[in-house]
Amino acid sequence: MYKCLLFLLITSSFFAQSNKRKLVWQEEFNGTALNEKVWNFELGDGCPKICGWGNHEKQLYTNSNHYVKDGNLVININKVDDHYTSTRITTAGHKEFQYGRIEARAKIPAGKGIWPAFWMLGSNIGTVGWPKCGEIDILEYVGREPSKVFTSLHTQDSHGNTINTKVTNIKNVEEGFHLYAIDWTKDKIEFFVDNQAVYVFSPEIKNEDTWPYNQPFYFIINTAVGGDFGGHTVDDSIFPQQFIVDYIKVYQ
């Protein structure tokens, strides 16, 4: 009984705060194609600049491993001959945001070797590099650890390592759609899964190394295969897989 009341109080407070904000942008994936005035494709294996996308990942990104239908973005992850194919898109240079309630409703793929993500990078990455630009991982899931959601941040202070992070156990998270969100202010970033708070990051000392989160960030949606975090052992029997995103919304 107590847990139910506590959940209702947290949820009521959460929605009360959200209702005070204005919806400033939403991507509902209507139509039959991505809006390329909003979304950029990142292609290939990252070479020669950052081979394996910095994590020894196995996939090749294409501009054809996805489709938009019935209000959903569907990323197809396949094995083709001796390589894996997937999609990686960003809003860099088009849609960048500083602070607010940011959320995505998505259904994740599953299986050993799969690594879907909804995340953000600082818009100054081109001048200061990573991790000084900062990174916000609103959703990460790795198939080798089922029923777990990873929410993390990367900064220069952590040398890019996954130190500022939380792993949340969510039974059957692989089934159906779930809501992944952050509440980002000048003082903190709080992470939510299905409107339940799971992690707060708020360093006491805020400088360019500990708190790069005082600038605009852009979105990235992708699914990797294998890699240092995804796991170097891939179960080829799981393919094809799909990462489905219903919408993204930003409130400020």
Side-chain angles (χ1 to χ4, degrees), residues 58-77:
K58 300 178 183 294
Q59 78 288 336
L60 293 172
Y61 289 124
T62 78
N63 60 4
S64 59
N65 271 70
H66 74 285
Y67 61 87
V68 176
K69 184 178 180 180
D70 298 330
N72 292 320
L73 166 67
V74 181
I75 292 178
N76 293 313
I77 311 99

Side-chain angles (χ1 to χ4, degrees), residues 178-232:
H178 295 269
L179 192 65
Y180 305 93
I182 58 170
D183 183 4
W184 173 21
T185 71
K186 65 180 181 62
D187 298 311
K188 66 178 177 65
I189 299 176
E190 187 167 12
F191 293 78
F192 297 84
V193 180
D194 292 333
N195 293 324
Q196 296 189 54
V198 296
Y199 179 55
V200 179
F201 180 68
S202 181
E204 291 185 11
I205 299 174
K206 291 183 171 63
N207 55 43
E208 63 181 8
D209 291 336
T210 64
W211 187 255
Y213 306 111
N214 57 355
Q215 59 158 330
F217 275 57
Y218 62 84
F219 295 117
I220 304 173
I221 302 173
N222 72 293
T223 301
V225 177
D228 298 335
F229 187 51
H232 295 290

Side-chain angles (χ1 to χ4, degrees), residues 7-111:
F7 172 75
L8 289 172
L9 287 171
I10 291 172
T11 304
S12 298
S13 174
F14 176 80
F15 279 114
Q17 292 177 9
S18 296
N19 289 337
K20 294 178 182 178
R21 294 173 176 164
K22 180 182 177 182
L23 179 64
V24 297
W25 183 69
Q26 61 183 331
E27 172 61 275
E28 294 194 327
F29 300 109
N30 293 321
T32 58
L34 286 173
N35 181 355
E36 294 192 36
K37 293 182 179 179
V38 173
W39 295 101
N40 313 296
F41 288 97
E42 295 192 329
L43 304 176
D45 59 3
C47 291
K49 187 177 179 180
I50 182 169
C51 290
W53 300 100
N55 301 288
H56 303 102
E57 299 163 23
K58 300 178 183 294
Q59 78 288 336
L60 293 172
Y61 289 124
T62 78
N63 60 4
S64 59
N65 271 70
H66 74 285
Y67 61 87
V68 176
K69 184 178 180 180
D70 298 330
N72 292 320
L73 166 67
V74 181
I75 292 178
N76 293 313
I77 311 99
N78 298 312
K79 185 177 184 191
V80 181
D81 297 325
D82 61 347
H83 61 273
Y84 306 93
T85 58
S86 183
T87 291
R88 172 166 161 151
I89 55 174
T90 88
T91 62
H94 300 302
K95 294 295 179 181
E96 300 176 349
F97 300 94
Q98 180 177 346
Y99 308 141
R101 152 84 176 180
I102 296 167
E103 62 184 30
R105 184 174 182 265
K107 183 179 187 300
I108 58 176

Side-chain angles (χ1 to χ4, degrees), residues 3 5 25 70 108 143 166 171 189 197 214 230 233 241 250:
K3 289 183 178 178
L5 289 172
W25 183 69
D70 298 330
I108 58 176
K166 174 68 182 297
K171 186 178 180 180
I189 299 176
N214 57 355
T233 300
Q241 287 286 317
V250 180

